[in-house]
């Protein structure tokens, strides 16, 4: 199978509560993680999508694989190995400011290595998506995304990088150094402002952040600014896009991953950067109405309808 999008990263078991963690006693099993969320969003946006990862061989991992397949994500690149599949616990938080309680140390996905890559599969993919979370899981994970980026970029595909800076996984200095190292093999970078841009570039201004991305050699930059919208920049020619208002606000978990997956899918399918960014913004807006990372992943039809019928500020 030739893929439009290959996502590399760690899917997680999600134990979600309808109340804040300070009060919650009942949790619902779900499946999430930035890579899984983005892969499901890319598939929903119309792309033939595969998730490349390692999972354990237990029953919950079986359910996770079935979850992916039911949502149109190809699981042929999922390796089943010994060890656990990682997880996290979260409570309801519409503002998206709480921390997660992670249960991922030593998970199967942290053992990803370059030998897990099939050069033929990667070279034929139209786009690759991965994040700073994946690269920060372990040295072998970092080596894997470096190798994958070279394969896809070398064959002319898009390589999309969401820095997704997490101080629990890395330092600002290491995250900035990794971005600079990856930059020559990237076509699109998706830093958030101020969280990513402050760590990577020491700035919070979206225009300056996009300029820093270009100076490192990345042709496209899309700087997400939450309620303040996007800065879309093509080799320095930039445009600000307003936020697409969310019809319902339940939980911010996974909205950024939905954005990244949708944008990557639409670029792989031939949309312009501007059109892909608009659709991704609308998809992320709808995703805010679901609980957990994949509580609401809109279809392409739903996203397009939301974009064309919702007044923007």
């Amino acid at each position: 199978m030739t893929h439009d999008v290959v996502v590399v990263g760690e899917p997680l078991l999600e134990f979600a509560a309808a109340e804040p963690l300070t009060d919650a006693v009942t949790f619902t099993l779900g499946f999430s993680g930035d890579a899984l969320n983005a892969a499901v969003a890319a598939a929903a946006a119309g792309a033939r999508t595969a998730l490349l990862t390692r999972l354990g061989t237990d029953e919950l991992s079986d359910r996770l694989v079935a979850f992916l397949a039911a949502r149109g994500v190809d699981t042929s690149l999922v390796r089943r190995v010994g060890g656990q599949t990682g997880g996290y616990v979260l409570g309801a938080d519409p503002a998206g400011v709480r921390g997660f309680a992670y249960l991922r140390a030593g998970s199967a996905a942290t053992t990803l290595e370059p030998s897990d890559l099939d050069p033929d599969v990667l070279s034929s993919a139209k786009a690759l998506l991965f994040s700073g979370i994946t690269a920060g899981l372990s040295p072998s994970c970092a080596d894997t995304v470096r190798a994958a980026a070279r394969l896809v970029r070398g064959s002319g595909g898009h390589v999309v990088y969401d820095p997704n800076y997490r101080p629990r996984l890395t330092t600002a200095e290491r995250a900035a150094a990794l971005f600079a190292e990856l930059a020559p093999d990237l076509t699109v970078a998706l830093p958030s402002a101020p969280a990513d841009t402050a760590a990577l570039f020491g700035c919070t201004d979206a225009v300056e952040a996009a300029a820093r991305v270009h100076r490192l050699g990345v042709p496209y930059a899309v700087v997400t600014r939450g309620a303040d919208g996007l800065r879309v920049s093509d080799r320095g020619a930039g445009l600000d896009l307003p936020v697409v208002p969310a019809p319902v606000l339940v939980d911010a978990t996974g909205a950024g991953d939905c954005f990244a997956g949708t944008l990557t899918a639409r670029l792989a399918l031939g949309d312009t950067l501007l059109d892909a960014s608009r659709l991704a913004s609308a998809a992320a807006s709808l995703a805010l109405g679901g609980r957990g990372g994949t509580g609401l992943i809109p279809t392409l039809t739903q996203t397009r309808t939301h974009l064309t019928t919702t007044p923007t500020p």
Side-chain angles (χ1 to χ4, degrees):
M1 178 180 179
T2 300
H3 302 98
D4 298 315
V5 175
V6 174
V7 182
V8 180
E10 180 183 35
L12 295 168
L13 304 174
E14 177 186 82
F15 302 94
E19 300 174 306
L21 288 182
T22 51
D23 303 312
V25 295
T26 302
F27 296 84
T28 301
L29 174 67
F31 306 99
S32 188
D34 69 314
L36 181 147
N37 301 339
V40 171
R48 294 168 298 179
T49 303
L51 178 61
L52 194 160
T53 191
R54 288 186 175 190
L55 292 179
T57 56
D58 57 278
E59 292 86 351
L60 291 182
S61 300
D62 293 342
R63 291 178 64 178
L64 192 156
V65 172
F67 176 90
L68 287 168
R71 283 151 184 80
V73 178
D74 177 26
T75 60
S76 64
L77 304 184
V78 176
R79 287 196 60 193
R80 306 297 297 274
V81 300
Q84 68 183 33
T85 294
Y88 69 95
V89 181
L90 78 155
D93 177 33
V97 297
R98 50 87 180 86
F100 295 86
Y102 283 103
L103 311 168
R104 70 171 5 146
S107 71
T110 64
T111 66
L112 267 173
E113 57 187 39
S115 64
D116 293 318
L117 304 176
D118 183 328
D120 292 334
V121 169
L122 271 297
S123 297
S124 64
K126 295 179 182 177
L128 171 75
L129 172 61
F130 62 93
S131 76
I133 291 176
T134 303
L137 291 174
S138 69
S140 67
C141 282
D143 290 341
T144 301
V145 296
R146 289 186 189 101
R150 287 193 295 268
L151 285 168
V152 175
R153 186 67 168 137
S155 62
H158 287 290
V159 179
V160 183
Y161 181 57
D162 180 359
N164 228 338
Y165 173 64
R166 294 292 186 269
R168 292 183 180 184
L169 290 176
T170 188
T171 65
E173 293 76 17
R174 288 202 299 269
L178 177 67
F179 188 98
E181 180 185 356
L182 292 169
D185 290 317
L186 304 179
T187 50
V188 189
L190 308 175
S192 65
D196 290 337
T197 61
L200 295 171
F201 310 124
C203 71
T204 58
D205 179 74
V207 175
E208 174 60 21
R212 298 282 189 96
V213 169
H214 296 315
R215 284 202 289 271
L216 289 170
V218 184
Y220 299 151
V222 180
V223 184
T224 58
R225 300 180 295 171
D228 293 325
L230 315 173
R231 176 71 179 180
V232 181
S233 185
D234 180 347
R235 299 174 179 85
L239 178 69
D240 290 323
L241 295 181
V243 70
V244 180
V248 180
L249 179 58
V250 174
D251 186 1
T253 304
D257 308 326
C258 183
F259 180 93
T262 302
L263 182 142
T264 304
R266 299 315 308 172
L267 284 178
L269 294 171
D271 289 9
T272 66
L273 178 66
L274 195 57
D275 286 344
S277 298
R278 288 192 173 107
L279 278 171
S281 182
S285 167
L286 289 172
L288 293 168
R291 180 168 291 114
T294 53
L296 198 167
I297 300 293
T299 66
L300 182 58
T301 298
Q302 290 171 328
T303 297
R304 283 179 167 154
T305 299
H306 183 48
L307 180 62
T308 56
T309 61
T310 304
T312 54

